[in-house]
Amino acid sequence: MNDQIVQRDEKRKRIKRTRRRQILTRLGTGAAVIAGIIVFLLLFQLRDIRVRGNDFLTDSEVSRYIREQGGDGNSLVLLLSTKLGDYPEPPTVESMEFHMVNPWTIRVDVKEKSPAGYARRDEEYVYFDNEGMVLGVTDSQRDGLSLVEGLDVSKAEKGKKLTVQDSSVFEYIVRIQEILGRSGVSPDRIVCDGENLTLYFGNICAELGSGDPQEKAAQLPAILEKLEGQSGTLHLEHYGELTETIRFEKSETTEE
């Protein structure tokens, strides 16, 4: 009888010791998890966003945009969200790549959309892409782009599209410059008058009219070479549609 009582006491003691170890193990695991969370939150707290490749957007604009998208907390969470999810980009940006410099610093490589041309607004230059999206408004003129006149840029705002009668005009401007660029030719300025496009090359005015200008623009490099030193107007409004003839109307100041 005494042996049975002793055995029961020993069993109870073993059960208590086992429960005590389980409780201590759980407390230790919980403490480790909490400590890990604290380290995770503190170590990967986003403190610095470094921006590269931006042109029209400023560093602060890119950083502010990222923080507004929820990227102001944890650098690792931000990095994973950009790698695994469909991270939204500003309307003027083609792509953004995120890289971790250290646990508290993220580097963002920005690739902005390419400008198709620019327009003047007082002393400012309004740059837009092939969809009419305003990429930036600056006080400096950039080389390699044509001045486009006839667009209403009085209310132009970065990230907003310009209002035009025919939205395809922006695509046409890009196409014209690509075609002419192959021959090393670039218009000094492009004038939009509703659906009609007019190009200026020094003293030569090329009236393209409306519609797709691709075939018309392709004729210009060879013609301009022959008209070097002259001034006047090339009429290509109906070329390729109603006629294969291009008429050149000399100006009165042309020297023979």
Side-chain angles (χ1 to χ4, degrees):
M1 187 69 174
N2 290 333
D3 292 341
Q4 291 178 348
I5 293 174
V6 171
Q7 289 176 356
R8 284 198 299 268
D9 289 341
E10 289 295 330
K11 185 176 181 180
R12 287 173 185 153
K13 291 178 180 178
R14 287 197 300 270
I15 292 173
K16 287 181 179 180
R17 287 195 296 268
T18 300
R19 288 177 177 173
R20 191 179 297 116
R21 285 195 296 268
Q22 290 175 342
I23 292 172
L24 291 174
T25 300
R26 290 172 182 172
L27 288 174
T29 302
V33 170
I34 293 173
I37 292 174
I38 293 174
V39 170
F40 176 76
L41 293 176
L42 293 177
L43 183 62
F44 290 94
Q45 184 179 13
L46 183 60
R47 303 170 193 167
D48 186 21
I49 299 176
R50 301 177 185 176
V51 185
R52 298 195 318 184
N54 51 313
D55 186 10
F56 293 107
L57 287 172
T58 64
D59 291 1
S60 60
E61 285 176 326
V62 175
S63 297
R64 184 169 63 251
Y65 176 84
I66 292 172
R67 295 184 186 281
E68 288 174 352
Q69 298 302 316
D72 58 348
N74 189 278
S75 59
L76 185 58
V77 172
L78 171 61
L79 188 64
L80 291 175
S81 68
T82 63
K83 300 295 184 183
L84 303 178
D86 186 14
Y87 192 81
E89 295 163 346
T92 63
V93 169
E94 188 173 318
S95 66
M96 291 195 303
E97 292 186 1
F98 292 74
H99 307 274
M100 183 174 289
V101 178
N102 54 51
W104 54 87
T105 304
I106 290 291
R107 189 187 79 235
V108 187
D109 293 332
V110 178
K111 183 179 180 182
E112 293 180 298
K113 295 178 179 178
S114 299
Y118 71 93
R120 288 287 302 270
R121 183 175 67 184
D122 297 328
E123 299 301 319
E124 295 179 320
Y125 300 86
V126 179
Y127 294 86
F128 54 87
D129 69 0
N130 60 347
E131 295 182 341
M133 176 75 68
V134 178
L135 304 179
V137 180
T138 72
D139 56 2
S140 60
Q141 184 177 0
R142 310 197 176 192
D143 297 332
L145 296 171
S146 296
L147 170 63
V148 181
E149 298 177 351
L151 300 175
D152 182 8
V153 294
S154 59
K155 299 180 180 180
E157 183 180 349
K158 185 188 297 184
K160 305 292 184 181
K161 287 190 175 182
L162 297 173
T163 302
V164 292
Q165 181 178 339
D166 181 8
S167 60
S168 61
V169 68
F170 300 111
E171 180 184 348
Y172 291 162
I173 289 171
V174 174
R175 196 176 301 172
I176 287 171
Q177 294 184 92
E178 287 178 348
I179 294 171
L180 297 177
R182 295 171 195 156
S183 301
V185 179
S186 178
D188 300 321
R189 56 193 178 101
I190 301 173
V191 177
C192 302
D193 181 12
E195 298 179 354
N196 299 309
L197 290 175
T198 303
L199 312 184
Y200 288 86
F201 305 86
N203 294 323
I204 301 293
C205 167
E207 297 277 3
L208 302 189
S210 60
D212 191 335
Q214 181 168 334
E215 189 176 0
K216 301 172 184 178
Q219 313 305 314
L220 288 173
I223 298 175
L224 292 172
E225 186 177 356
K226 295 178 180 179
L227 295 177
E228 186 175 357
Q230 301 189 58
S231 62
T233 302
L234 280 167
H235 291 279
L236 298 95
E237 297 95 322
H238 305 296
Y239 178 82
E241 300 172 358
L242 303 178
T243 180
E244 294 296 320
T245 300
I246 298 174
R247 183 169 60 89
F248 178 56
E249 182 181 352
K250 293 182 180 181
S251 67
E252 296 179 358
T253 59
T254 298
E255 295 182 6
E256 298 293 344

